Amino acid sequence: MGVKNLWDILESCKKTLPLHYLQNKRVCVDLSCWMVQLQNVNKSHCPMNDKLYLKGLFHRLRALIALNCSLIFVTDGAIPAIKLSTYRRRLNAGNEAIQDAGNSRTVSVKRNKGSEFSCMIKEAKFLGVALGIPCLDGIEEAEAQCALLNSESLCDGCFTSDSDAFLFGARTVYRDICLGDGGYVVCYEMDDIERQLGFGRNSLITLAILLGSDYTQGVRGFGPESACQIVKSIGDSAVLQRFSVQVWIFLPNCYMGSECDLPIDNKFLQVINAYLMPKCHSADSGAVHRVLALYPFNRSQLHQICTQFFDWPPEKTDVKVHQSRTSSSSETKTISSEVGKIMKNPFCLVLHLSLLKDCVFMAYTDAYILPKIAERNLRRFANLRSTSLELGLHLPINEIPVKCPISSIIKQRKFQGKDYFEVSWEDMDGLKASAVPADLVESACPEKIVEFHERKAEKQKAARRSRPTKADKRAAEMKEIEEKLQKLLLEIEKESTTASNAVSLVVPLSRDGNDSSNRGSSASGFYSTASASLETEIIDLVSPPPRVHTHEVLKCQEVRNIDVIELSDTDDASPEHARKARELRLFMASIRDENL
């Protein structure tokens, strides 16, 4: 809860920032606050068995991982002794048991590790470890541990909905987060609170004493306005001293709640000390150093969590929906072939059903999270290069100690009007290619973009070289014309040869039809037998056809007068022969016209 009405007092300092504001930042998360938020959503929509709170946590972590936002989970430890009465009242007289350890007035109390909420925290920690997110178990209050890490500059901010994080020393608090295309975070900065409202840490502790908090019920008769006026009138530097030394003078007409059985000044001192000196892991402790290290992504453990806790709806098992943006085609083919084998053999359906379910869950999990893990690695590489440039180190990409996650750029793409590059990944188990924002590639490895454009230009140049020129097209057309002409000539020659093979003897006739042998011609003037080869005569189809001579054919040793076929456009010519002759003449005429 924090301090009563403090969020309302700080409303003017609230800032709504885009989600990418968290890019490359290290942030502590009060895990109990997140799980309470997600648990409330779970209760309002579905039973707890559906693990909607864990799926919601998965979505949050995935979005922040893609931004290379380094997260540290912080959990609550024991219940502070000063908070015990508030804690029991909040649990409504025993909904959740607590284990007393001595005098509750001076000793903190251990939490019940077997409660339903504690089991939710364990599941969240298990998911965080699979995604490479460390967890720091606090000694007492989680928001106090987050505030210490923030005040010591070991993190850039704290995710918590408890307003008393500022009283523990936090400088930047993210109260809420919203995902999606218009994702944002609700942020409060201590610098804004000091500048706009004039409240420092001491003033906020005084407001907690007056208005009430987890550690005190407050002072009757004070509301937000009156409490703020009194605190402002005294000033941040002197307000706590006035409260601890001269409280009876400061509040002459006010009294504490009925549960305050200690002297007024002692009660105030306990509250002040609880905020100023909370029990936490120190900044130089081994526990803090361990969570500041980078932890790897555990793919197999994540598959185990998704199989054990998540019941993905049927539409999410369609890997092809995600294949175009995230997963590789080989993974899609593998799953499709596995499904095909099972469906063809119904006898093994029951046997392979669990295996198929695990296969589909793993494929969807990989398609959902692996591109974001790869994008996080690329942002880390980009952050390393920018830091190197700030230090004056202009190292080429092949001389950087850390290997570039991108192997090469495949092509340019657009998603929702934004420029992306589809890239192939180097040493990314389970992911071969995916799309990432173009500006991210530009900041991480501009050399890869240059290589991509060079390859693209070379391909275009090769395509232009292989493209035929006008002279090549003209030569190809002439070659085609020659082939057609040759084909027509061969067909005509074939028909002429066929007709000649049917003639056994040709005898030249005179103009008046008399046999030339009557004029004393010898037998050598005849051309005999069908087997004799005939000399091919070249026919000029452009010029007017010559006059055809008449021949006399001698067959079976008897000479008879026959009509000779005329290769002109006459009625006596073969229709097919005449058609091809006309076609050839027209073709030659078209060639002549083109050359003119």
Side-chain angles (χ1 to χ4, degrees), residues 8 78 156 167 221 254 312 485 504 524 565:
D8 296 332
D156 299 300
L167 284 65
C254 300
W312 301 111
L485 180 59
S504 59
S524 61
I565 299 175

Side-chain angles (χ1 to χ4, degrees), residues 84 91-94 115 122 152 156 217 282 298 311 412 440 450 467 506 522 547 555 567 584:
L84 187 57
L91 294 178
N92 194 15
S115 66
K122 290 178 183 177
E152 295 289 339
D156 299 300
Q217 286 188 321
S282 62
N298 193 327
D311 185 17
Q412 291 176 297
L440 174 57
V450 174
R467 191 180 305 163
V506 179
S522 62
R547 183 174 181 179
K555 186 177 181 181
L567 296 178
L584 185 59

Side-chain angles (χ1 to χ4, degrees), residues 201-454:
R201 182 181 179 184
N202 295 337
S203 298
L204 296 179
I205 294 175
T206 306
L207 289 177
I209 295 174
L210 296 176
L211 299 176
S213 67
D214 291 341
Y215 297 160
T216 178
Q217 286 188 321
V219 179
R220 292 181 183 179
F222 278 92
E225 293 184 3
S226 58
C228 290
Q229 289 176 359
I230 290 177
V231 172
K232 284 184 179 179
S233 63
I234 299 176
D236 185 72
S237 59
V239 66
L240 286 182
Q241 184 179 7
R242 292 281 298 273
F243 255 74
S244 60
V245 177
Q246 298 176 339
V247 64
W248 53 88
I249 300 175
F250 179 61
L251 300 174
N253 300 321
C254 300
Y255 56 92
M256 296 293 294
S258 59
E259 291 189 7
C260 181
D261 51 4
L262 295 173
I264 294 179
D265 54 346
N266 289 342
K267 183 65 176 180
F268 285 158
L269 286 176
Q270 285 187 11
V271 175
I272 293 171
N273 291 334
Y275 285 121
L276 292 179
M277 295 178 291
K279 293 181 180 179
C280 300
H281 296 288
S282 62
D284 57 352
S285 65
V288 171
H289 287 168
R290 282 192 295 271
V291 298
L292 295 178
L294 293 179
Y295 288 81
F297 162 67
N298 193 327
R299 185 184 177 200
S300 60
Q301 186 172 342
L302 183 61
H303 288 168
Q304 180 183 351
I305 292 174
C306 294
T307 304
Q308 180 179 355
F309 296 126
F310 294 171
D311 185 17
W312 301 111
E315 62 268 15
K316 288 193 176 183
T317 60
D318 186 5
V319 185
K320 291 183 180 179
V321 174
H322 310 277
Q323 186 270 328
S324 61
R325 296 187 181 183
T326 55
S327 61
S328 61
S329 59
S330 60
E331 293 173 347
T332 305
K333 293 178 181 178
T334 301
I335 296 173
S336 301
S337 62
E338 198 67 29
V339 174
K341 291 177 184 178
I342 293 177
M343 297 308 294
K344 289 179 182 178
N345 188 358
F347 295 103
C348 68
L349 181 59
V350 178
L351 180 62
H352 292 284
L353 187 58
S354 61
L355 177 62
L356 175 62
K357 181 180 178 182
D358 291 345
C359 179
V360 173
F361 280 175
M362 289 190 299
Y364 174 71
T365 303
D366 287 347
Y368 185 72
I369 193 64
L370 286 183
K372 300 303 180 182
I373 297 292
E375 188 173 336
R376 178 189 66 180
N377 296 340
L378 186 60
R379 290 192 187 278
R380 286 180 177 175
F381 186 80
N383 197 30
L384 175 63
R385 296 204 73 178
S386 63
T387 304
S388 301
L389 291 176
E390 291 175 0
L391 296 175
L393 299 176
H394 300 272
L395 296 176
I397 192 169
N398 57 345
E399 295 182 8
I400 298 178
V402 179
K403 191 174 183 180
C404 180
I406 291 181
S407 173
S408 63
I409 298 177
I410 301 174
K411 60 181 177 181
Q412 291 176 297
R413 303 181 67 174
K414 267 189 178 295
F415 288 140
Q416 299 178 350
K418 298 181 180 179
D419 293 327
Y420 282 75
F421 282 117
E422 183 174 344
V423 302
S424 60
W425 297 103
E426 191 82 35
D427 301 331
M428 187 66 188
D429 185 27
L431 182 67
K432 294 183 178 179
S434 66
V436 294
D439 57 348
L440 174 57
V441 181
E442 176 68 30
S443 61
C445 45
E447 297 88 346
K448 299 293 182 181
I449 300 179
V450 174
E451 292 177 5
F452 169 71
H453 288 304
E454 288 177 353

